[in-house]
Amino acid sequence: MEIVTTIRREVLTLPAALLGPDNPLPPLRPLDETHRIEDRDKRDLPRDMARQIGYEPLHGLLPVRVRDGYDRRREPRALDALVIENDRLRATVLPALGGRISSLVHTPTGRELLYRNPVFQPANFALNGAWFSGGVEWNIGATGHTTLSCSPVHAARVPAPDGGEMLRLWEWERLRDLPFQVDLWLPDGSDFLYVGVRVRNPHEKPVPTYWWSNIAVPEECRVLAPAEEAYHFGYERRLRRVPVPEYDGVDRTYPPNSTYAADYFYDVPGHRRRWIAALDADGHGLVQTSTDVLRGRKLFVWGGGPGGRSWQQWLTEPGTGGYCEIQAGLARTQLEHVRLDAESEVSWLEAYGPFESRPEGEWNGVLTEAENRLEALLPRAEVDAAYAAWAPYADTEPGERLATGSGWGALEVLRAGWKLPGTPFDEDTVDEEQRPWLHLLRAGSFPEPPGGLPPGGTLVARHWRDMLETAPATPLTEYHLGVAQWHAGDRAQAVRSWERGLRHAPAAWPALRCLAVADQEDRHLERAAERYTDAFDDLCRVRGGDIPWTAVTAALGREAIEALLAVGRTGDARSVWQRLDPATRARGRFRLVEAGLLLAEGRVERARAVFDAGFEVADLREGDEVIGLLWAGVTGEPLPEHYDFRMRPTP
């Protein structure tokens, strides 16, 4: 039999914003993830769900850095793409952007099955900041959008079970230190894209694991999933059980019917097939199904309120139509983490394809008809058989390399000597980010950054912390050791390491900034403000003029201004503001900082003028209400629509 599936490279050109540099400051503060609930709410949940919600939630972002250097200036730019295609489907994958499937087209009808974003516009939705909407994304790590949303992954050709080719994506997830792979293949003549996923734990201890496949589809649809109840999560941070499809007098399976952004985690009974579909008014759309390991199904809606509309336009081009997300995960909700035992793995198979069924009518009747159609189109047993056929190929070594990811996996494999068949992390992928740590591993000492640049990122796992503790105690080593100790919860020892490092440091600002954060966490706000002042003064003394220095000056300056305003030192805050680069002060985030500074100085009319002139905070955080709060301090007028990004009812 002739195999007609092909994999090829393409270049997409579309309006795209630049990602810009990462924030050079280590993220020491607790993670502000919106998907959290009060302990009192856990009492009414099933025991296994409550246990998994409490199982090692992520408290910090280290060793990953914050990505907040992007802007909103979109220009035509080229994006590398990989296309896998048979005679029925064409999937376009973006290996430099987390391996996301940006498009899935049913070629006989020309129908796009996903919401395909016509632009690339990062926004602050990932755990580490930069994220973009559209397509199918692979979320691994911890509750929230993966830190790999806008990062490259490895890609290669691999033999498929049917004798054709698969497209393999793989990377090292750094929050939990886990390797994973995603294998995509299109059997000849199939209307379904098969996706085999494997997450491995090579460690000698259990690790909390998280996975959700997020599928963006046009929001003018009805979402079907085999459930009569769901767990509703709104941005009031409450998780409660609600009926499906109608809740509070409204059929919530139609995304436009909701006013505010919300998650609906469907409670799929254990014996039911795992699937979810989004169908337009004519009954056309997409269905996703899987083997039973991928247990959860979810609908996310933006809502029809002003905040949801603002976010929809923020993430794409106004007038291009909105989207919602249908999702599939390892647990019933995204607040949970699943235990992955030592030296074990978890794997499953997903299938994505076109679907037709009746969307309107009584819920159980609509579900029964849809399930029967799905069974006729792609029997449940056939999905299980496809998984069984794929599993032996998961260890097959990749052939032609099509894209290169990061070198973090190579560094960990060199350290531990792990054998990970099917997902090679080769030493030649190690780059300037990993080289200092490879030097520490092999020579026992931590080298100074070239050219006197700011310190790079810190590795914080126990084995790297142990190496830092035995390395020569240079100021840079003490700085990195303090960051690792802080992450481990040993705050007193971290403070001592930073203080030791200050004694002979040619540049004091890295340790001073860390000590300032420690003071803030201990509510020593005056001392924190003083240390921020000293840190910024020292940075201005030693800084260069290239991009890394511009990024660190902006990041430290913003933190210093906020710390100084918190204790009423407006004059010192103004001094920091004046020493920022003019291009930095012109950015939307810093226009907002300026409005806050003017308000603190009592210059209300000048603060109002900043709002009237207009600004866009490119890295505005999901759920952050800072613009509305500052506006309320300036004027009693209603918040203008273009500044309204509220995702919940006004308190």
Side-chain angles (χ1 to χ4, degrees):
M1 180 179 67
E2 181 184 1
I3 303 298
V4 298
T5 300
T6 61
I7 300 173
R8 66 179 185 275
R9 289 186 172 93
E10 277 194 1
V11 175
L12 300 182
T13 300
L14 69 164
L18 289 173
L19 277 169
D22 290 354
N23 189 318
L25 304 180
L28 301 178
R29 294 182 177 83
L31 184 68
D32 182 24
E33 218 293 309
T34 58
H35 289 80
R36 300 192 186 278
I37 61 172
E38 301 293 336
D39 286 340
R40 67 174 182 270
D41 288 342
K42 298 177 185 177
R43 293 193 292 265
D44 298 326
L45 300 176
R47 287 186 180 180
D48 63 331
M49 182 184 292
R51 182 177 63 253
Q52 290 186 161
I53 288 175
Y55 176 47
E56 296 193 32
L58 194 69
H59 296 295
L61 191 59
L62 288 165
V64 177
R65 286 185 159 187
V66 172
R67 309 201 73 173
D68 61 1
Y70 50 88
D71 56 30
R72 292 187 57 79
R73 296 189 297 272
R74 295 194 287 265
E75 298 177 1
R77 305 183 198 278
L79 298 178
D80 290 334
L82 299 172
V83 177
I84 178 169
E85 183 173 16
N86 66 1
D87 57 342
R88 308 291 295 175
L89 286 175
R90 181 173 66 250
T92 303
V93 177
L94 304 178
L97 297 171
R100 184 172 307 202
I101 301 176
S102 66
S103 171
L104 183 62
V105 175
H106 184 232
T107 50
T109 61
R111 191 175 290 133
E112 173 63 68
L113 302 180
L114 304 173
Y115 169 77
R116 182 173 186 171
N117 199 332
V119 304
F120 172 67
Q121 177 56 65
N124 194 354
F125 281 78
L127 286 165
N128 62 333
W131 173 87
F132 67 106
S133 64
V136 183
E137 63 171 319
W138 318 113
N139 281 289
I140 181 174
T143 298
H145 290 282
T146 177
T147 61
L148 295 167
S149 292
C150 294
S151 296
V153 298
H154 302 280
R157 299 179 192 269
V158 183
D162 61 359
E165 288 184 321
M166 293 190 294
L167 173 60
R168 175 163 298 164
L169 312 171
W170 74 99
E171 235 323 330
W172 193 274
E173 200 288 310
R174 301 181 66 206
L175 294 178
R176 303 297 196 183
D177 266 340
L178 298 178
F180 71 96
Q181 72 189 76
V182 177
D183 288 353
L184 300 92
W185 87 99
L186 286 165
D188 186 24
S190 175
D191 273 332
F192 282 87
L193 172 68
Y194 288 158
V195 180
V197 182
R198 177 168 64 168
V199 181
R200 289 192 275 200
N201 175 14
H203 303 281
E204 296 178 348
K205 63 178 183 179
V207 175
T209 308
Y210 175 94
W211 183 282
W212 282 80
S213 301
N214 289 10
I215 309 148
V217 293
E219 69 176 349
E220 292 293 335
C221 68
R222 191 181 197 191
V223 173
L224 309 182
E228 295 182 358
E229 292 184 304
Y231 291 92
H232 169 269
F233 180 86
Y235 285 77
E236 306 92 339
R237 300 196 176 187
R238 299 292 307 275
L239 184 67
R240 55 185 180 270
R241 203 177 184 97
V242 300
V244 176
E246 189 172 299
Y247 161 54
D248 201 19
V250 177
D251 190 332
R252 306 289 175 167
T253 61
Y254 293 91
N257 285 353
S258 293
T259 303
Y260 294 98
D263 299 323
Y264 293 93
F265 300 103
Y266 294 113
D267 191 8
V268 180
H271 67 280
R272 298 288 289 269
R273 182 176 183 176
R274 269 59 177 161
W275 65 275
I276 191 167
L279 303 177
D280 64 20
D282 295 326
H284 300 291
L286 173 129
V287 66
Q288 186 270 3
T289 186
S290 70
T291 49
D292 289 351
V293 167
L294 203 62
R295 177 182 187 181
R297 292 298 185 275
K298 171 194 160 182
L299 164 64
F300 167 76
V301 298
W302 281 108
R309 296 300 95 189
S310 293
W311 278 118
Q312 293 263 33
Q313 295 177 23
W314 191 256
L315 294 167
T316 184
E317 288 285 2
T320 56
Y323 76 96
C324 64
E325 288 180 352
I326 56 175
Q327 305 182 10
L330 281 176
R332 274 177 288 185
T333 75
Q334 289 175 332
L335 288 72
E336 302 169 69
H337 297 92
V338 177
R339 175 187 169 109
L340 186 57
D341 288 331
E343 299 177 336
S344 70
E345 63 183 49
V346 60
S347 61
W348 62 91
L349 184 120
E350 305 179 43
Y352 297 77
F355 193 55
E356 295 182 24
S357 192
R358 174 173 60 94
E360 305 286 347
E362 186 269 334
W363 183 243
N364 287 325
V366 167
L367 286 185
T368 298
E369 184 174 328
E371 283 190 308
N372 290 339
R373 286 180 176 270
L374 178 58
E375 186 64 20
L377 191 65
L378 183 65
R380 187 176 188 177
E382 191 170 314
V383 175
D384 292 338
Y387 170 74
W390 164 75
Y393 287 80
D395 282 350
T396 302
E397 290 304 309
E400 179 192 0
R401 303 302 172 88
L402 301 172
T404 302
S406 78
W408 295 114
L411 181 66
E412 292 299 332
V413 167
L414 288 168
R415 179 194 63 80
W418 284 317
K419 304 299 181 184
L420 299 170
T423 54
F425 294 96
D426 300 325
E427 186 172 351
D428 62 8
T429 62
V430 170
D431 63 17
E432 63 272 11
E433 287 188 282
Q434 295 89 41
R435 286 192 189 104
W437 298 94
L438 185 59
H439 188 276
L440 175 65
L441 175 66
R442 289 176 168 170
S445 61
F446 201 90
E448 292 293 321
L453 291 174
T458 303
L459 294 181
V460 296
R462 178 60 186 265
H463 41 266
W464 294 107
R465 189 169 78 248
D466 289 346
M467 285 184 238
L468 289 168
E469 287 176 346
T470 58
T474 66
L476 183 61
T477 301
E478 296 284 13
Y479 161 79
H480 284 299
L481 176 58
V483 174
Q485 291 166 333
W486 179 271
H487 174 75
D490 193 351
R491 296 190 171 188
Q493 194 63 258
V495 168
R496 285 192 284 271
S497 294
W498 291 325
E499 289 176 340
R500 284 196 304 269
L502 276 176
R503 295 171 190 164
H504 305 291
W509 66 265
L512 283 172
R513 182 266 176 176
C514 292
L515 290 168
V517 173
D519 285 335
Q520 286 180 321
E521 291 298 302
D522 290 336
R523 305 305 298 167
H524 299 310
L525 301 185
E526 289 284 355
R527 190 167 67 193
E530 190 61 34
R531 278 178 161 153
Y532 265 119
T533 300
D534 292 343
F536 194 77
D537 288 346
D538 184 67
L539 174 61
C540 291
R541 176 183 64 84
V542 301
R543 67 183 177 185
D546 52 7
I547 290 176
W549 290 109
T550 301
V552 78
T553 304
L556 184 58
R558 174 183 163 188
E559 288 188 9
I561 290 170
E562 291 171 350
L564 290 163
L565 291 180
V567 296
R569 291 173 57 173
T570 56
D572 291 331
R574 174 61 64 181
S575 174
V576 172
W577 170 263
Q578 290 172 340
R579 284 179 284 171
L580 294 175
D581 182 77
T584 297
R585 295 201 299 262
R587 289 166 51 186
R589 168 61 69 179
F590 287 86
R591 293 286 285 160
L592 183 65
V593 169
E594 180 186 18
L597 176 57
L598 289 165
L599 183 61
E601 292 171 335
R603 296 194 279 175
V604 178
E605 291 185 1
R606 290 284 303 278
R608 171 62 186 263
V610 173
F611 278 94
D612 291 342
F615 57 83
E616 291 183 322
V617 182
D619 63 328
L620 184 67
R621 182 69 176 161
E622 173 190 14
D624 193 342
E625 298 176 356
V626 61
I627 294 179
L629 292 172
L630 187 55
W631 174 264
V634 171
T635 175
E637 298 175 14
L639 183 64
E641 184 174 316
H642 60 282
Y643 290 130
D644 191 348
F645 291 89
R646 291 172 293 191
M647 301 178 75
R648 60 175 182 163
T650 304

